[in-house]
Amino acid sequence: MNILGIETSCDETAAAVVRDGVAVLSNCIASSLKDHQRFGGIIPEIASRRQIEFIHWVVGESLAKAKMTLKDIDALAVTRSPGLIGSLLVGLCFARALSRATGKPLIEIDHIKAHLYANYLQLPKEKLACPQNRLPAIGLVVSGGHSSLFYVKNFNDFKLLGVTRDDAAGEAFDKVARILELGYPGGPVIDRLAASGTNEEIKFPQAPLSGTYDFSFSGTKTAVLYYTQKNKSKPDYSVAKVAYAFQESVVAVLTEKSLKACRKLKVKTLLIGGGVAANSALRRRLYARAQEQGVDVFFPPMALCLDNAAMIAGLAYHSIG
Ligand code: KG4
Ligand code: ZN
């Protein structure tokens, strides 16, 4: 079964063709990221206008790359929520119209759950360990808009265990990057910089929120702000060290909460998804700590950590009777 997926929840306009819920035959993404960079964050009005410009081209390109026409497609899938409403509307209306015009079924998908499904996808040249049918699992989604922990019973049954009470993990990376004047998006640059800032001198607070699976990152972010204001003009001040200490705080909380959920709920598989899943320190720490506890942890291929439509088409496969 070939499913054409469409994703337009934020600043990416994406379309992909996925066969039988696993094989990614095409994965096309147009991004308006550059248009937002000078503002230090996503401007919804600009994002939705770019979606309108890109959508036709991206969908056509995804079919061409898969060497298909609409006749070869069995079903359509689209992101329904969450996301920026102006951006979501472009993909939803496009997909609903396409479904009406072609008579093909349309499956509307939750973007956050799809981020976890990215672990099950296979890119043509990339042979990564795949969790296959290893469920139940604990799923951690960490992106610019969300930090959520799930108990995944099966692909149609996700139980939400906890969410962020303030900033999402990626949002905290982006805001700290702004404080450190590193540009937008903050995650990749902090990740790179932290590699040369290893130190034990600076420690930022973590919010354990004991007894819950919720997260909170705004206290850590504010501590970075106060530290920077106080120390910026001192001769031994190092942005790389601050980036390292901030990243360590966030990574420690994400790692320990996810593994605690695995222990308490007696689950041996941990799935990670969302843009922050690209973070090298998170990957290292989770692989090491999960191994100690006999938990297998899975990250999607790098190309599928950020927003894409292959994850939408892949998850949709499991909703078709
Ligand atoms: O999943 P995504 O593409 O969009 C949302 O659904 O939000 O995630 C984007 C987020 C941004 O906040 C970005 O700073 C973060 O993912 N990100 C990273 C890294 N690469 C992207 N955060 C930490 N380390 C990275 N290497
Ligand atoms: Zn996302």
Side-chain angles (χ1 to χ4, degrees):
M1 172 172 296
N2 297 318
I3 300 187
L4 169 65
I6 295 174
E7 145 67 34
T8 65
S9 66
C10 192
D11 58 326
E12 269 93 25
T13 314
V17 178
V18 175
R19 179 167 290 165
D20 297 335
V22 176
V24 181
L25 305 184
S26 66
N27 182 36
C28 300
I29 304 174
S31 174
S32 60
L33 182 68
K34 284 203 161 50
D35 298 319
H36 305 277
Q37 273 170 330
R38 68 195 162 103
F39 301 104
I42 303 294
I43 307 296
E45 172 75 17
I46 296 178
S48 47
R49 285 174 187 272
R50 292 288 177 270
Q51 298 283 5
I52 294 170
E53 287 165 26
F54 294 152
I55 186 83
H56 261 94
W57 178 83
V58 170
V59 170
E61 191 68 6
S62 72
L63 287 168
K65 284 239 165 83
K67 299 192 172 51
M68 288 183 183
T69 67
L70 273 175
K71 286 205 184 79
D72 305 303
I73 297 297
D74 300 294
L76 307 166
V78 67
T79 303
R80 182 193 174 89
S81 64
L84 303 174
I85 188 62
S87 289
L88 284 168
L89 271 170
V90 175
L92 260 174
C93 292
F94 191 95
R96 285 178 183 174
L98 200 56
S99 169
R100 265 299 182 96
T102 59
K104 295 180 196 291
L106 173 66
I107 302 114
E108 298 184 0
I109 292 290
D110 180 293
H111 177 90
I112 306 183
K113 295 171 184 168
H115 266 304
L116 289 178
Y117 190 80
N119 283 286
Y120 293 84
L121 296 170
Q122 278 164 14
L123 291 169
K125 284 182 196 135
E126 203 157 352
K127 287 276 167 283
L128 268 188
C130 172
Q132 293 182 333
N133 295 324
R134 294 182 43 167
L135 289 170
I138 295 297
L140 172 71
V141 183
V142 269
S143 70
H146 317 278
S147 300
S148 312
L149 201 60
F150 290 94
Y151 176 81
V152 186
K153 193 168 172 199
N154 60 57
F155 296 129
N156 293 305
D157 190 347
F158 292 69
K159 181 172 180 261
L160 187 63
L161 301 174
V163 290
T164 181
R165 293 193 185 172
D166 38 59
D167 293 337
E171 188 182 359
F173 271 93
D174 296 335
K175 287 179 175 172
V176 163
R178 196 182 307 172
I179 293 168
L180 301 179
E181 297 172 26
L182 298 173
Y184 177 85
V189 60
I190 288 182
D191 193 351
R192 271 197 307 277
L193 205 57
S196 61
T198 313
N199 74 97
E200 290 296 319
E201 303 142 41
I202 312 169
K203 297 266 184 239
F204 293 120
Q206 297 165 18
L209 300 180
S210 309
T212 78
Y213 290 114
D214 285 349
F215 302 100
S216 166
F217 300 109
S218 71
T220 314
K221 172 197 69 188
T222 307
V224 174
L225 175 67
Y226 290 157
Y227 178 90
T228 309
Q229 285 171 343
K230 197 168 156 209
N231 296 287
K232 206 174 166 186
S233 51
K234 294 187 180 162
D236 59 347
Y237 173 78
S238 154
V239 183
K241 284 185 177 180
V242 176
Y244 172 86
F246 162 74
Q247 184 172 270
E248 282 296 292
S249 289
V250 174
V251 164
V253 171
L254 294 175
T255 303
E256 297 316 317
K257 279 253 150 131
S258 310
L259 289 172
K260 186 174 162 201
C262 291
R263 276 197 309 280
K264 294 263 178 210
L265 299 165
K266 299 189 174 36
V267 170
K268 293 285 178 196
T269 306
L270 176 58
L271 310 172
I272 315 294
V276 183
N279 185 269
S280 58
L282 182 66
R283 286 176 175 244
R284 264 197 313 277
R285 172 87 66 109
L286 265 171
Y287 278 131
R289 295 278 295 122
Q291 201 177 24
E292 285 166 21
Q293 298 192 19
V295 170
D296 290 323
V297 59
F298 295 92
F299 288 86
M302 279 293 187
L304 299 176
C305 283
L306 297 175
D307 288 350
N308 66 85
M311 65 187 194
I312 305 298
L315 182 55
Y317 175 75
H318 298 273
S319 299
I320 289 189

